[in-house]
Amino acid sequence: MEKKNDIQNIVIVDDYALTRVILKKMIAPRADLNVCAQFDNAEDSLAYIKNHQVDLVLLDLCLPYMNGVEASRLIKSMNPCTKIVLLTSTNSDAEILSALFGSVDAYVLKDITQEGLMKVIDKVLDGELWIDYRVQLLIFNFIKSLPEHDYAYFRTMLNSTECTLINMVLKGFEKQEVAQYLNIQLPDLANCVCSIFKKLAKTKKVEDMVRNFRYDFI
């Protein structure tokens, strides 16, 4: 587990001013969390992060010009220790699937509660991965719609633990039940889900959907 400093500096990046206000208000009660900067675009946030100590970034997926996926990669290349919470909505499968290509520590839906956000921030700052269960379920359901060739290719990349995890989630088992059955800890379960995400991102259907979706960012 990574050791945290007394005060954690957080940058908020979202092109909607109201969203930035809401996120900052959610964080405000925590004396150990400091929103040190806010930006409505990725480019300005990258310039700031390059020259300042930033512990965590709340990063919107859909931003003007450079999107959150590309920004996450650049942030991690500058400072691999900076944690990234990627914020997305459920507007489309393509939007959710594009998040799989990011270099992030958490996948979060924008309707998250204050209590939920604090939980995610704490886990991520402690070095854990976090994935909204609804994101996980949506993506696992998407797997069932893969064309036969893509599905066969995808299955060759999965190990037995990953196959069992997908089947159990789609059958309605809670994550605690899945972890207990697989005899792994919850943080390891999140790592397993991320591994599945990365393998799914290599299938042709996902690559095509995300390629088309990225044009909509501009």
Side-chain angles (χ1 to χ4, degrees):
M1 182 175 291
E2 299 177 6
K3 182 177 177 58
K4 297 186 289 184
N5 297 322
D6 291 338
I7 303 295
Q8 302 295 303
N9 288 322
I10 297 177
V11 167
I12 298 173
V13 187
D14 196 293
D15 55 333
Y16 285 97
L18 179 59
T19 300
R20 297 196 301 272
V21 169
I22 292 172
L23 289 172
K24 185 174 182 179
K25 187 175 182 179
M26 285 181 172
I27 295 169
R30 288 278 297 271
D32 60 326
L33 302 177
N34 171 48
V35 176
C36 57
Q38 303 176 60
F39 300 96
D40 62 5
N41 65 85
E43 290 80 359
D44 288 343
S45 71
L46 288 167
Y48 179 89
I49 293 168
K50 183 178 180 179
N51 296 298
H52 295 82
Q53 173 60 43
V54 176
D55 299 293
L56 183 142
V57 181
L58 297 178
L59 180 64
D60 185 19
L61 171 65
C62 295
L63 294 166
Y65 310 110
M66 183 186 298
N67 61 62
V69 169
E70 302 302 330
S72 70
R73 292 173 173 172
L74 290 174
I75 292 170
K76 288 291 189 179
S77 69
M78 288 190 296
N79 187 358
C81 293
T82 299
K83 307 299 183 182
I84 301 175
V85 175
L86 191 67
L87 301 166
T88 185
S89 66
T90 55
N91 288 342
S92 69
D93 286 353
E95 181 174 337
I96 294 291
L97 290 166
S98 67
L100 305 187
F101 292 80
S103 298
V104 305
D105 302 278
Y107 299 87
V108 173
L109 293 180
K110 283 192 170 183
D111 63 355
I112 192 169
T113 64
Q114 181 180 31
E115 180 181 0
L117 181 62
M118 293 304 100
K119 176 182 177 182
V120 172
I121 289 175
D122 285 338
K123 285 186 174 295
V124 167
L125 288 174
D126 278 339
E128 297 183 25
L129 296 173
W130 197 90
I131 303 158
D132 188 295
Y133 186 78
R134 292 168 296 170
V135 172
Q136 178 180 310
L137 188 59
L138 185 151
I139 290 175
F140 284 5
N141 273 307
F142 174 83
I143 289 171
K144 297 190 299 184
S145 70
L146 285 173
E148 184 176 348
H149 179 270
D150 264 1
Y151 184 73
Y153 172 65
F154 174 64
R155 285 298 298 268
T156 65
M157 293 186 283
L158 299 178
N159 58 42
S160 59
T161 297
E162 292 165 346
C163 289
T164 301
L165 191 158
I166 292 172
N167 290 333
M168 292 187 72
V169 168
L170 292 179
K171 288 178 180 178
F173 287 92
E174 298 294 331
K175 61 182 179 181
Q176 291 83 359
E177 296 174 306
V178 177
Q180 183 177 5
Y181 181 83
L182 295 173
N183 194 29
I184 59 178
Q185 301 297 314
L186 285 177
D188 295 323
L189 189 67
N191 288 327
C192 187
V193 173
C194 281
S195 174
I196 294 170
F197 285 3
K198 298 306 179 185
K199 292 173 181 178
L200 179 63
K202 296 178 182 178
T203 61
K204 186 177 186 302
K205 182 173 181 179
V206 173
E207 289 179 339
D208 289 344
M209 287 182 69
V210 172
R211 185 181 300 110
N212 293 333
F213 182 65
R214 283 179 177 173
Y215 286 116
D216 296 336
F217 282 157
I218 301 173

